[in-house]
Amino acid sequence: MPLRLYKRKDSPNFWLSGTIRGLAVRESTKTADKSAAETIRVLRERELLDESIFGKQAVVTFKTAVDAYLVAGGSTRFMAPVVDAFGNKLLRDIHQNDLDLLSLRLYPDTAAVTRNRQLFTPFIAVWNHAAKNEWAEPRQWARPRKQKGTRQRSTSTRSGTRPVSYERAAEFVSNMSPAPAMVMTALFYTGMRPVELFTLEPSDVDVARRWLTLEHTKTGEPRGVPMHEFLVPLFASLLKRKKGPPQIFQNYRGTSYQLLEERGGQLKGAINGARERLGKRGIRIDDVSPYTGRHTVSTQLVLNEIHPHIKDQILGHAVDSMSRHYTNVPQTPLIEAINTLPVPTLWRAAEWWADPLGYVGKHVKWGAGS
C-alpha cells in the first residue's frame, strides 16, 4: 500500500507509514510542514520502489554509507570535505574519475601521499564498509602514485615523518608528564596509529596472551596487534581503572583523548612541553611526535631482520585470511617479532612504571622541569 502521512501525540512532525512492495516503513519526516512532508512522502515512495526492484545499491548515497561507517566505529578524520563533495550522490554513480578530480580540486599542488591520506584512505574505508553491507560492489580504487625519476630531496623536518633511535625516544618520553608518556610508550612498542590507540577499550586487550584486537582501523579492516613484554605492566595497571570513560588511555584530567578533525589528537601541548623542558637543559629533540613511534617500529623491525610480511602484519599493511577472520587469536610469530624491539634503561627507569594508574593524574606544567 502507498505511504501515508500521520501525526503522533509525542511529536510535532509528520510521520510516514506503509509498505511498498514488501518494504515496510514507519519513520519521521522530520518536518512539521505538511507540504514539505508530502514532498518527502513522494520521494520516499519512489526510493523504496527503486530499492524493491533494483536492490539497495540503487538507492544508497555516500552520506548514508558514511553514517553507517561512523556508527560502526569508523574515523571522522578528513571525512568532512569528502561528505561535502559526495554527500547525496548515489554510490553507484561515483567512479574513479570523480575521485581523481576531487583530489585535484581539494588538494592541488600537494604530494601523492597527502592526497592518499586525506582523501583516498577515508573514501575507500567508507566504500569497503558499504561493500560489506552489500550496498556497493567491491572495487579496487586506484590511488595516486609517487612520481618516478630524479627529484629534489625533501628538506622537510616535520616531526613524525621519520624514525628515531629508541635511546632518543626514551630521552624525549622521560621528559613528558606520565599520561602522555604512557601513550607514547604504547605507540613505540606496538606500531599502532594514534587513532587506533586512543579508541582502545578493555575488551580489546588480552594481557595474558600479549594481544590487542582492533575491530575498527583506518583501512576498515579489523586486525590483531602483538603486545611487547615491556607493555604488560602498563596495560595490567590501566585495566584496573573503575571510573571514567571506557578508553584505556586517558589524559591527566581523566578524560579520553578526543580526535580532532585533520589532527592526531590532544598531545600537542605535551609534545611542546617536553621540547621546552629539554631545551632548558640544552638538548634539542624536535623530531619526536605520536607518529614517530609507528615509523620507528617499522624501521627497527627491518634492522632486526624480521620478515617483511610479519612486519607488515604488525603494522596493518598486510592482512591475510587468518588474521582477518581471527583477529582475537594471538599469533606467535608476531609476538616474537615485536619483542625484538629494544628497551633502553632510561625508559625502564621512568618513575611512573611503579604504578602507572596511580601516576596518570600527575601533571608536569608546560615548560617546567621534570
Side-chain angles (χ1 to χ4, degrees), residues 158-207:
R158 179 184 175 188
S159 70
T161 60
R162 297 178 181 177
V164 298
S165 70
Y166 272 86
E167 288 73 18
R168 186 174 179 83
E171 185 166 20
F172 187 86
V173 172
S174 67
N175 281 273
M176 302 179 78
S177 295
M182 295 174 200
V183 169
M184 294 292 283
T185 300
L187 293 173
F188 271 92
Y189 287 95
T190 61
M192 292 169 65
R193 300 177 178 90
V195 64
E196 296 169 340
L197 189 76
F198 289 153
T199 57
L200 208 60
E201 298 185 8
S203 60
D204 303 321
V205 180
D206 187 338
V207 175

Side-chain angles (χ1 to χ4, degrees), residues 58 101 139 204 245 260 323 340 352:
L101 291 176
R139 291 187 195 172
D204 303 321
L260 307 177
S323 59
T340 65
W352 52 263

Side-chain angles (χ1 to χ4, degrees), residues 71-295:
V71 168
S75 172
T76 61
R77 196 175 187 222
F78 303 125
M79 195 65 73
V82 192
V83 175
D84 289 342
F86 290 145
N88 293 320
K89 194 165 187 175
L90 296 175
L91 292 178
R92 64 177 182 173
D93 292 336
I94 301 176
H95 305 288
Q96 181 71 50
N97 188 57
D98 298 313
L99 199 56
D100 294 339
L101 291 176
L102 181 61
S103 74
L104 296 176
R105 179 165 64 84
L106 291 178
Y107 306 107
D109 303 320
T110 59
V113 65
T114 299
R115 298 197 300 277
N116 263 318
R117 179 181 66 250
Q118 298 183 199
L119 173 59
F120 285 80
T121 292
F123 173 85
I124 292 173
V126 170
W127 189 276
N128 288 343
H129 187 266
K132 288 180 181 178
N133 288 331
E134 299 183 351
W135 296 347
E137 294 293 333
R139 291 187 195 172
Q140 291 294 323
W141 296 93
R143 292 172 175 265
R145 293 185 178 182
K146 293 181 180 179
Q147 291 185 349
K148 295 183 178 180
T150 304
R151 64 181 179 88
Q152 280 191 319
R153 181 183 295 273
S154 172
T155 57
S156 172
T157 57
R158 179 184 175 188
S159 70
T161 60
R162 297 178 181 177
V164 298
S165 70
Y166 272 86
E167 288 73 18
R168 186 174 179 83
E171 185 166 20
F172 187 86
V173 172
S174 67
N175 281 273
M176 302 179 78
S177 295
M182 295 174 200
V183 169
M184 294 292 283
T185 300
L187 293 173
F188 271 92
Y189 287 95
T190 61
M192 292 169 65
R193 300 177 178 90
V195 64
E196 296 169 340
L197 189 76
F198 289 153
T199 57
L200 208 60
E201 298 185 8
S203 60
D204 303 321
V205 180
D206 187 338
V207 175
R209 297 198 294 174
R210 313 300 191 253
W211 197 251
L212 308 171
T213 303
L214 305 179
E215 293 297 335
H216 308 291
T217 67
K218 181 178 178 180
T219 62
E221 288 279 6
R223 67 186 177 96
V225 178
M227 182 190 302
H228 194 291
E229 287 288 339
F230 181 45
L231 297 180
V232 170
L234 173 60
F235 277 102
S237 178
L238 296 183
L239 286 174
K240 295 177 182 178
R241 182 186 285 117
K242 302 298 183 183
K243 299 180 181 179
Q247 287 76 23
I248 292 175
F249 289 92
Q250 301 175 14
N251 60 35
Y252 74 95
R253 297 186 181 91
T255 59
S256 59
Y257 287 98
Q258 300 297 317
L259 296 176
L260 307 177
E261 187 69 22
E262 302 190 7
R263 283 182 276 175
Q266 297 177 342
L267 288 183
K268 184 176 181 179
I271 296 294
N272 288 337
R275 290 174 182 170
E276 179 73 10
R277 287 189 283 277
L278 286 163
K280 288 183 176 180
R281 292 165 28 214
I283 301 173
R284 181 179 177 180
I285 301 180
D286 55 9
D287 54 355
V288 175
S289 65
Y291 253 95
T292 307
R294 186 168 171 81
H295 292 299

